[in-house]
Amino acid sequence: MIWIPRRLSDATLERARRDYEVICKEDDTPGAAEEIVAMSEKVDGMVPCHSEHFSADVVARLDPRLKIVANHSVGTDHCDLKALRSRGIAVTNTPGVLADATAELAFMLMLSAARHGVAGDRIVRSGDWDFWSPAFLVGKQVTGARLGIVGMGGVGRSLARKARGFDMEIHYHNRRRLEADQEAGAIYHDTIDSLLTVSDFLSLNCPATPETEGMMNAERLAQMPKGGVLVNAARGSLVDEAALVDAVRSGHLAAAGLDCFRKEPGGNPGFAEHDNIVMMPHVGSATVRTRDAMGFKALDNLDAFFAGREPPDML
Ligand code: DGY
């Protein structure tokens, strides 16, 4: 028996129901702590999203019946992995299938932030477009600019491939330098601080960990070139949001593009006052193809586990 708390893709649910007895949470709202704990008495596996939080407290209260948490996400910051492992519960994620969709969204945010996507759309949509001038909504050119990427995993590398099509000069920081074939001409910086100074556009593509919490603080934002653009399609916790508002308000940053926020769902009303902050509601991986691939990967992991094999994406 497995529990699927969120509305996964039709193809995923069809396959899950074909192969397992499934309890679905029909209202498609986040599984609360009490619900997760109660459900652990009824199921052997769960397929949660990043909206279900397996904190140490929740994990301590899980029923021994639960054997595997097969996440429908690549990020695992919603899970206390140490606590789950110490309870002997297997944990998996869905790496390798979200990269292109998430990089597309990061690119969309970058272009939209650079070219006044919010203001332009609003002016035309509202019917108030009664003026044009060569000085109207003049933006920042992406083609040929320097792009700094923090985190050269799958998303970072996919973003770099797309950026090459825009003749961008690619710089990156990663825990370790990539092999030359993966680097493909991108310039490695062994510190974030060195990367920031050359990043006309900066894209965050690293996981949320205790080390990256609040990484983009006031000091770091100040190190970006004046008129820089910050893009975050990774996790809200990477950014000090008050410092970002200040950097945009002061004009030090020209714009920002955000798919992730410290408070989700909800976002930060402080950002909404600024047309040059483009926002999306954490939908980087939300394409039909990628949702199917994520769901199938989660099920592949369950299948391997219940067949007595090591799941391919065991953490
Ligand atoms: C992930 O997979 O981590 C994405 O943020 C969607 O949950």
Side-chain angles (χ1 to χ4, degrees), residues 241 245 249 261 263 265-274 277 279:
E241 294 188 338
V245 170
R249 188 180 289 131
F261 304 85
K263 182 173 182 301
N268 183 334
F271 292 146
E273 293 163 23
H274 300 274
I277 302 185
M279 295 178 278

Side-chain angles (χ1 to χ4, degrees), residues 161-194:
R161 284 196 294 280
K162 288 158 185 49
R164 280 184 204 107
F166 279 70
D167 299 328
M168 297 188 87
E169 184 180 293
I170 298 153
H171 296 252
Y172 75 100
H173 170 70
N174 199 41
R175 271 172 299 190
R176 58 172 184 81
R177 186 171 178 172
L178 301 182
E179 299 295 329
D181 60 328
Q182 289 202 321
E183 218 170 47
I187 300 156
Y188 179 63
H189 293 254
D190 59 4
T191 64
I192 294 179
D193 300 276
S194 146

Side-chain angles (χ1 to χ4, degrees), residues 49-50 72-76 94 98 234-235 282 285 291 294:
C49 293
H50 74 266
H72 180 276
S73 68
V74 68
T76 53
T94 60
L98 289 85
R235 284 294 186 263
H282 199 141
S285 53
R291 286 286 182 253
M294 291 170 74

Side-chain angles (χ1 to χ4, degrees), residues 30-262:
E34 293 313 320
E35 219 174 345
I36 295 172
V37 171
M39 208 39 82
S40 68
E41 292 174 18
K42 300 189 178 135
V43 301
D44 312 288
M46 294 186 178
V47 187
C49 293
H50 74 266
S51 48
E52 282 67 54
H53 294 271
F54 290 77
S55 62
D57 172 56
V58 168
V59 173
R61 292 156 59 211
L62 292 174
D63 191 88
R65 173 164 181 178
L66 181 69
K67 299 290 182 306
I68 176 166
V69 173
N71 284 298
H72 180 276
S73 68
V74 68
T76 53
D77 46 303
H78 58 291
C79 291
D80 189 321
L81 294 178
K82 208 168 140 222
L84 282 159
R85 285 194 196 110
S86 75
R87 291 284 320 266
I89 298 170
V91 192
T92 61
N93 69 340
T94 60
V97 293
L98 289 85
D100 287 332
T102 307
E104 275 176 16
L105 194 95
F107 217 89
M108 181 195 100
L109 291 172
M110 183 162 77
L111 290 171
S112 187
R115 299 299 298 273
H116 300 288
V118 173
D121 179 81
R122 196 164 38 71
I123 289 166
V124 181
R125 188 182 299 273
S126 66
D128 292 339
W129 180 31
D130 58 0
F131 174 78
W132 186 91
S133 151
F136 186 39
L137 293 186
V138 176
K140 182 178 169 85
Q141 191 143 322
V142 170
T143 303
R146 297 171 298 179
L147 169 63
I149 300 177
V150 182
M152 266 302 215
V155 180
R157 293 202 302 277
S158 177
L159 185 66
R161 284 196 294 280
K162 288 158 185 49
R164 280 184 204 107
F166 279 70
D167 299 328
M168 297 188 87
E169 184 180 293
I170 298 153
H171 296 252
Y172 75 100
H173 170 70
N174 199 41
R175 271 172 299 190
R176 58 172 184 81
R177 186 171 178 172
L178 301 182
E179 299 295 329
D181 60 328
Q182 289 202 321
E183 218 170 47
I187 300 156
Y188 179 63
H189 293 254
D190 59 4
T191 64
I192 294 179
D193 300 276
S194 146
L195 177 73
L196 294 175
T197 60
V198 297
S199 298
D200 301 318
F201 293 87
L202 183 78
S203 177
L204 307 180
N205 301 107
C206 56
T209 63
E211 293 72 44
T212 59
E213 156 66 39
M215 179 179 87
M216 291 309 296
N217 54 22
E219 201 184 358
R220 287 246 168 85
L221 291 166
Q223 288 179 59
M224 289 178 65
K226 183 163 169 49
V229 173
L230 176 75
V231 174
N232 183 12
R235 284 294 186 263
S237 66
L238 305 178
V239 177
D240 175 336
E241 294 188 338
L244 177 58
V245 170
D246 285 347
V248 169
R249 188 180 289 131
S250 73
H252 179 67
L253 290 192
L258 307 172
D259 185 43
C260 299
F261 304 85
R262 282 188 175 259

